[in-house]
């Protein structure tokens, strides 16, 4: 019987090849067996006719479960078709074929003649279907299949390593390690398994111990990609938030500024939020774990959702947490709710390819522009907003979000991040929160609400003065410009004297400074633009004020690092690299970096300083304005050599001067490069 079946199968398959084979097979397989007509192939049909039919009558179970020769042939063909579709990357088609194949095989009872053959085939089909499920993100289904295959043969190497991979995707790194080790025992020289074990070791350290090594990423500069990072859940817990209502994230123990609290990979990302909804819906229908995680997020659709205020178990988010392989039927998520979840929780971040333009990492702003994308991070979605937050987010790219404590936090304290730029006055911050259905009552907002003098008015006046001085700088003649800029330098210090003279605790003074930060920044950027003319001591003083104010209010934003780096460079220049002042400035800058990047080695710290420094030089805002210098060169060249030879001389100077000094010449294309003098 076996040889007849083999012959039939060979006859049939030998006539089909490549795509035609699959198409033919599919057409054939989808027909009811009774309708299968193989007349076209006389040889094959003859063989089929000659194969024995199942015996009629007799034992009831035997006749029902016993497959006809045609059905045996069909089992083989279904499996082959499944494999072919799998090879073509059609996971859905492959799963369908394997499933049909399995249900046919299930009809062969134990003790039958071909039971051994059926067992082997069942093992391979389950194993392949596990892989197809894995590739289409049906992780729990993939695990169920891998388990079934391993029940048949617990030492099947391919299935063991597949199961390890699936378990890793389900964040079960310890169980994954056991699978890879078992596979290695069977195949000690298998390189992919050895590599999987090495990878698993890194994942284990990241997910369970919070050890992430981004050294290479930092040293490779701004165009590098961070390494894959696992989710990590540090000393945090979801609890009811009395202050905000709903839920919030809390510290479970005391943490120090710069400690890593969690790492999260976005589950979906897209430039537009509509696509996020589609992606999320697809993901939820594939993975029950993901569905339960997403379902626990707030949608703020009070009528539709009772989930919004439930406290989900941390196990749901913790790598290695309990894994339930339940059916999808008991958990449902409709599109309206997914829309709500995306609206409330998706964060808009800068695209990592535009790293240099990043001003703040991971601020939640509902509006998306071309250079930004929206993504949904699960556990960080439980963090509420504060205008004086104790946590910062850092997104190095690859949809990874690191959350660091930006100040010391006590056990049971609620963790907050800033949803938007908080270096603004109360009115502007309140305008930002209007995108969300809440009114910020954080200590800073509450204090500013009761502040007797409306800060905004003062800020507006100062800003107008700065703006006027800035435009005067551009319009007036060189000598005049210098005077105006010196006045501007005075303005920022006068402003700070006013703030300093107010009878308040230093923290409140810094809150005021943070609220009028745009004035400080506008003025300080102008200050930086006239590096050559302003006394360096003043510059350092101003930059120090800014760094202190920003760290006091939020513990650090991208801008804080920029100013910190600028301050460090100025101190280096003024006092020398070996000076005590420089060492103090370096320690301070390292503290600031720690808030964003955790603890760093000096090597990495220096590389990061240089990266930021380069980015700032490229960024328009911080570009040193050398217009006066360029104008001086242009007028001198024209005066001595005449306008006829101006361009030739200029080009020669560009050629002769070392790279370091090139900046003193007007760069080609700049306004100062051309002959006309404004
Ligand atoms: C990303 S969710 C934060 C977690 C949410 N509280 C929960 O229970 O799932 C954002 C929502 O939390 C609430 N929220 C965030 N910060 C808040 C604050 N400072 N005060 C009041 N509600 C806040 C708002 O309803 C906001 O739309």
């Amino acid at each position: 019987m076996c040889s007849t079946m083999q012959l039939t199968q060979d006859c049939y398959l030998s006539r089909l090849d490549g795509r035609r084979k699959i198409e033919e097979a599919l057409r054939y397989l989808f027909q009811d067996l009774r309708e299968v007509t193989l007349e076209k192939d006389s040889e094959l049909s003859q063989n089929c006719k000659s194969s024995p039919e199942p015996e009629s009558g007799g034992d009831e179970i035997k006749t029902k479960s016993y497959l006809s020769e045609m059905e045996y042939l069909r089992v083989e063909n279904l499996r082959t078709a499944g494999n072919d579709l799998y090879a073509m990357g059609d996971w859905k088609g492959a799963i369908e074929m394997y499933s049909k194949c399995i249900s046919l095989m299930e009809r062969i009872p134990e003790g039958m003649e071909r039971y051994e053959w059926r067992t082997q085939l069942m093992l391979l089909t389950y194993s392949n279907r596990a892989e197809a499920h894995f590739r289409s993100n049906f992780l729990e289904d993939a695990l169920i299949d891998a388990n079934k295959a391993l029940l048949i043969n617990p030492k099947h190497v391919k299935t063991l390593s597949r199961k390890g991979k699936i378990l890793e995707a389900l964040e079960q790194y310890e169980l994954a390690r056991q699978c890879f080790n078992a596979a290695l025992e069977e195949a000690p020289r298998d390189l992919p398994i050895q590599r999987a074990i090495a990878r698993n070791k890194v994942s284990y350290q990241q997910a369970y111990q919070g050890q992430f090594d981004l050294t290479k990423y930092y040293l490779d500069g701004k165009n590098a990609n961070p390494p894959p990072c696992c989710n990590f859940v540090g000393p945090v817990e979801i609890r009811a938030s009395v202050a905000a209502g709903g839920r919030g994230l809390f510290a479970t123990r005391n943490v120090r500024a710069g400690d890593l609290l969690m790492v999260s990979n976005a589950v979906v990302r897209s430039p537009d939020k509509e696509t996020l909804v589609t992606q999320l819906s697809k993901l939820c229908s594939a993975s029950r774990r993901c569905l339960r995680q997403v379902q626990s997020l707030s949608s703020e659709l009070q009528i539709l959702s009772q989930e919004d205020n439930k406290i989900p178990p941390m196990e749901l988010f913790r790598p290695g947490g309990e894994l339930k392989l339940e059916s999808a039927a008991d958990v449902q998520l409709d599109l309206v709710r997914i829309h709500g979840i995306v609206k409330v929780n998706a964060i808009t971040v800068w695209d990592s390819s535009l790293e240099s333009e990043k001003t703040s990492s991971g601020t939640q702003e509902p509006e998306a522009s071309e250079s930004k994308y929206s993504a949904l991070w699960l556990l960080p979605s439980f963090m509420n907003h504060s205008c004086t937050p104790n946590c910062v987010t850092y997104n190095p790219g690859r949809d990874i979000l690191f959350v660091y404590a930006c100040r010391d936090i006590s056990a049971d304290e609620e963790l907050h991040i800033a949803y938007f730029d908080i270096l603004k006055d109360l009115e502007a911050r309140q305008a930002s929160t209007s995108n969300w259905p809440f009114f910020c009552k954080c200590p800073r907002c509450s204090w500013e609400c009761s502040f007797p003098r409306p800060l905004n008015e003062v800020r507006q006046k100062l800003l107008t003065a700065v703006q006027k001085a800035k435009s005067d700088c551009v319009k007036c003649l060189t000598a005049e410009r210098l005077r105006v800029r010196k006045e501007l330098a005075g303005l920022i210090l006068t402003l700070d004297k006013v703030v300093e003279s107010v009878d308040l605790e230093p923290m409140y003074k810094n809150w005021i400074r943070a609220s009028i930060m745009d004035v400080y920044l506008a003025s300080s950027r102008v200050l930086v633009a006239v590096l050559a003319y302003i006394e360096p001591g003043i510059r350092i003083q101003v930059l120090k004020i800014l760094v202190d104010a920003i760290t006091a209010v939020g513990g650090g934003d991208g801008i804080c690092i920029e100013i910190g780096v600028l301050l460090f460079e100025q101190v280096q220049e003024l006092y020398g690299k070996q000076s005590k002042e420089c060492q103090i400035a370096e320690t301070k800058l390292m503290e600031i970096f720690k808030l964003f990047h955790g603890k760093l080695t000096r090597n990495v710290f220096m590389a990061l300083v240089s990266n930021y420094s380069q980015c700032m030089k490229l960024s328009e805002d911080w570009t040193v304005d050398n217009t006066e210098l360029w104008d001086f060169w242009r007028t001198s060249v024209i005066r001595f050599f005449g306008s006829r030879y101006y361009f030739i001389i200029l080009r020669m100077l560009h050629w002769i001067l070392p790279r370091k000094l090139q900046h003193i010449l007007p760069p080609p294309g700049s306004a100062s490069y051309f002959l006309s003098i404004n």
Side-chain angles (χ1 to χ4, degrees):
M1 193 156 60
C2 196
S3 60
T4 320
M5 193 216 74
Q6 193 63 44
L7 182 68
T8 317
Q9 176 200 339
D10 289 344
C11 289
Y12 183 67
L13 293 182
S14 64
R15 281 158 197 282
L16 307 169
D17 64 325
R19 236 197 137 75
R20 206 188 118 243
K21 184 170 98 181
I22 300 167
E23 281 164 11
E24 286 275 307
L26 288 178
R27 206 176 318 132
Y28 164 62
L29 295 168
F30 279 117
Q31 288 172 30
D32 189 320
L33 268 176
R34 288 176 198 289
E35 290 165 21
V36 172
T37 48
L38 299 170
E39 279 85 21
K40 275 185 224 152
D41 189 329
S42 59
E43 201 184 334
L44 187 62
S45 67
Q46 256 183 12
N47 278 326
C48 284
K49 275 176 204 157
S50 64
S51 61
E53 290 293 313
E55 285 171 50
S56 57
D59 182 23
E60 182 67 15
I61 300 168
K62 237 182 176 182
T63 44
K64 267 198 179 166
S65 57
Y66 193 61
L67 300 190
S68 70
E69 270 321 298
M70 281 296 290
E71 284 170 313
Y72 276 117
L73 171 65
R74 200 174 174 216
V75 166
E76 281 287 359
N77 286 338
L78 278 165
R79 211 179 83 80
T80 315
N83 287 351
D84 289 337
L85 288 167
Y86 176 98
M88 283 159 59
D90 180 356
W91 317 122
K92 200 170 161 233
I95 291 169
E96 208 174 306
M97 291 301 123
Y98 291 143
S99 305
K100 281 175 193 260
C101 179
I102 289 168
S103 55
L104 261 182
M105 282 192 283
E106 273 165 352
R107 284 171 48 199
I108 305 173
E110 210 176 330
M112 288 310 299
E113 195 185 334
R114 290 190 206 167
Y115 192 72
E116 201 41 46
W117 166 85
R118 172 252 196 216
T119 311
Q120 272 313 305
L121 212 62
M122 204 73 148
L123 163 72
L124 299 177
T125 316
Y126 272 131
S127 182
N128 283 358
R129 194 173 71 173
E131 182 69 15
H133 272 312
F134 172 76
R135 302 277 181 129
S136 39
N137 246 333
F138 286 83
L139 300 181
E140 289 92 339
D141 289 330
L143 187 57
I144 291 169
D145 275 352
N147 283 342
K148 282 183 181 167
L150 290 172
L151 264 181
I152 298 170
N153 179 2
K155 293 184 173 178
H156 190 244
V157 176
K158 201 163 194 176
T159 312
L160 278 170
S161 44
R162 277 177 177 166
K163 184 176 171 185
K165 206 168 60 174
I166 297 162
L167 283 166
E168 285 206 323
L170 284 163
E171 302 186 273
Q172 299 288 331
Y173 301 104
E174 177 62 51
L175 295 175
R177 176 154 65 178
Q178 291 168 15
C179 281
F180 291 135
N181 283 341
L184 196 70
E185 244 173 61
E186 299 304 313
R189 286 168 186 224
D190 191 311
L191 268 179
I193 299 175
Q194 287 172 7
R195 276 199 287 267
I197 289 177
R199 259 199 324 269
N200 177 270
K201 207 171 162 190
V202 176
S203 306
Y204 190 94
Q205 284 171 345
Q206 293 183 342
Y208 300 140
Q209 291 155 3
Q211 288 174 13
F212 293 83
D213 186 5
L214 296 185
T215 308
K216 188 173 178 310
Y217 164 68
Y218 290 139
L219 293 180
D220 283 353
K222 70 183 181 70
N223 294 323
N225 256 331
C229 293
C230 296
N231 290 340
F232 162 69
V233 178
V236 301
E237 197 171 79
I238 306 166
R239 294 181 193 166
S241 166
V242 181
R247 293 83 44 93
L249 216 54
F250 290 76
T252 53
R253 60 163 167 81
N254 293 348
V255 278
R256 303 294 305 268
D259 282 357
L260 180 64
L261 294 171
M262 68 186 119
V263 177
S264 178
N265 285 275
V267 281
V268 283
R269 75 109 88 180
S270 163
D272 72 289
K273 288 195 176 169
E274 254 338 287
T275 317
L276 277 194
V277 173
T278 327
Q279 287 176 350
L280 203 56
S281 158
K282 222 167 143 187
L283 199 69
C284 288
S285 59
S287 162
R288 276 143 237 158
R289 180 171 182 243
C290 187
L291 185 135
R292 293 201 311 131
Q293 288 171 327
V294 173
Q295 198 187 32
S296 70
L297 301 183
S298 166
S299 62
E300 277 164 10
L301 299 166
Q302 307 297 346
I303 315 150
L304 280 170
S305 154
Q306 295 110 27
E307 297 293 322
D308 275 16
N309 283 319
K310 277 191 195 158
I311 313 277
M314 284 306 288
E315 289 300 285
L316 197 53
F317 301 95
R318 210 184 289 286
E322 193 197 342
L323 186 65
K324 284 188 186 163
L325 293 178
E326 83 258 68
S327 135
D330 58 349
V331 266
Q332 303 259 314
L333 205 55
D334 61 63
L335 270 180
V336 180
R337 181 115 203 280
I338 296 186
H339 256 283
I341 287 171
V342 165
K343 190 164 173 270
V344 174
N345 301 284
I347 299 180
T348 303
V349 287
W350 290 98
D351 197 310
S352 54
S353 57
L354 296 153
E355 191 76 16
S356 59
E357 291 178 29
K358 227 193 264 186
T359 53
S360 77
S361 36
T363 49
Q364 280 187 322
E365 284 193 28
E367 303 311 322
S369 79
E370 266 175 55
S371 56
K372 293 174 178 176
Y373 69 91
S374 295
L376 186 75
W377 282 275
L378 295 171
L379 194 55
S381 287
F382 287 94
M383 296 181 89
N384 288 313
H385 163 86
S386 170
C387 293
T388 169
N390 49 12
C391 295
V392 287
T393 55
Y394 168 58
N395 167 227
R398 263 193 198 257
D399 306 343
I400 308 163
L401 203 70
F402 284 77
V403 180
Y404 290 104
C406 65
R407 57 177 98 236
D408 293 350
I409 302 172
S410 330
D412 304 324
E413 204 180 306
E414 182 168 355
L415 306 173
H416 291 104
I417 48 168
Y419 284 7
F420 45 82
D421 181 9
I422 49 165
L423 298 178
K424 294 176 184 170
D425 61 59
L426 180 69
E427 209 171 281
R429 297 202 308 274
Q430 281 174 345
S432 297
T433 43
S434 67
N435 293 310
W436 283 274
F438 72 91
F439 189 78
C440 186
K441 290 186 199 132
C442 74
R444 184 174 159 211
C445 285
S446 307
W447 180 75
E448 258 173 68
C449 274
S450 62
F451 199 68
R453 207 168 39 149
L455 265 178
N456 197 28
E457 230 171 76
V458 183
R459 184 190 69 97
Q460 209 51 54
K461 273 186 193 154
L462 285 163
L463 200 56
T464 316
V466 171
Q467 236 81 67
K468 187 175 174 306
K470 258 175 102 175
S471 74
D472 283 353
C473 286
V474 180
K475 272 188 246 146
C476 57
L477 293 173
T478 308
E480 189 63 1
R481 241 182 248 180
L482 183 57
R483 187 188 55 77
V484 177
R485 284 183 175 180
K486 275 188 173 163
E487 272 177 25
L488 200 53
L491 184 71
I492 187 166
L493 290 174
T494 317
L495 163 65
D496 208 68
K497 266 190 202 137
V498 176
V499 178
E500 203 49 56
S501 65
V502 187
D503 184 22
L504 283 171
E505 300 257 314
M507 182 184 79
Y508 295 117
K509 285 181 191 168
N510 279 330
W511 283 3
I512 296 179
R513 288 184 182 111
S515 293
I516 51 171
M517 189 52 71
D518 45 358
V519 184
Y520 278 97
L521 289 178
S523 337
S524 64
R525 282 174 185 191
V526 178
L527 276 189
V528 172
V530 285
L531 283 176
Y533 307 101
I534 303 298
E535 197 206 313
I538 298 178
R539 261 181 273 139
I540 289 170
Q541 200 183 330
V542 172
L543 294 171
K544 263 187 190 158
I545 292 168
L546 296 181
V547 169
D548 288 345
I550 301 172
T551 40
V553 80
D557 202 328
I559 194 78
C560 188
I561 287 198
E562 282 187 8
I563 301 173
V565 171
L566 212 55
L567 174 61
F568 178 57
E569 284 176 345
Q570 296 292 307
V571 174
Q572 259 186 348
E573 208 171 281
L574 183 65
Y575 300 100
K577 287 190 180 172
Q578 306 304 326
S579 66
K580 204 173 123 225
E581 284 82 358
C582 194
Q583 274 165 20
I584 296 169
E586 188 182 309
T587 314
K588 181 147 185 142
L589 187 56
M590 253 183 141
E591 286 295 311
I592 296 172
F593 266 101
K594 205 170 99 181
L595 305 179
F596 269 92
H597 305 279
K599 287 166 199 114
L600 301 170
T601 60
R602 190 157 188 282
N603 214 6
V604 172
F605 164 72
M606 289 318 274
L608 275 175
V609 172
S610 137
N611 279 354
Y612 271 92
S613 178
Q614 267 175 24
C615 287
M616 275 152 49
K617 281 191 183 104
L618 293 175
S619 135
E620 207 184 284
D621 268 352
W622 293 104
T623 304
V624 175
D625 183 357
N626 280 326
T627 320
E628 281 96 352
L629 205 57
W630 296 338
D631 285 351
F632 166 78
W633 275 94
R634 182 182 49 188
T635 34
S636 310
V637 171
I638 294 171
R639 188 172 307 145
F640 289 115
F641 302 99
S643 54
R644 230 174 129 187
Y645 300 105
Y646 167 71
F647 285 113
I648 299 170
I649 302 291
L650 205 62
R651 252 181 237 148
M652 274 175 64
L653 283 173
H654 265 294
W655 191 60
I656 294 165
L657 277 183
R659 233 170 165 212
K660 250 181 144 180
L661 294 177
Q662 289 280 330
H663 69 275
I664 65 167
L665 298 171
S670 68
S672 313
Y673 184 77
F674 300 105
L675 274 169
S676 62
I677 300 168
N678 57 11

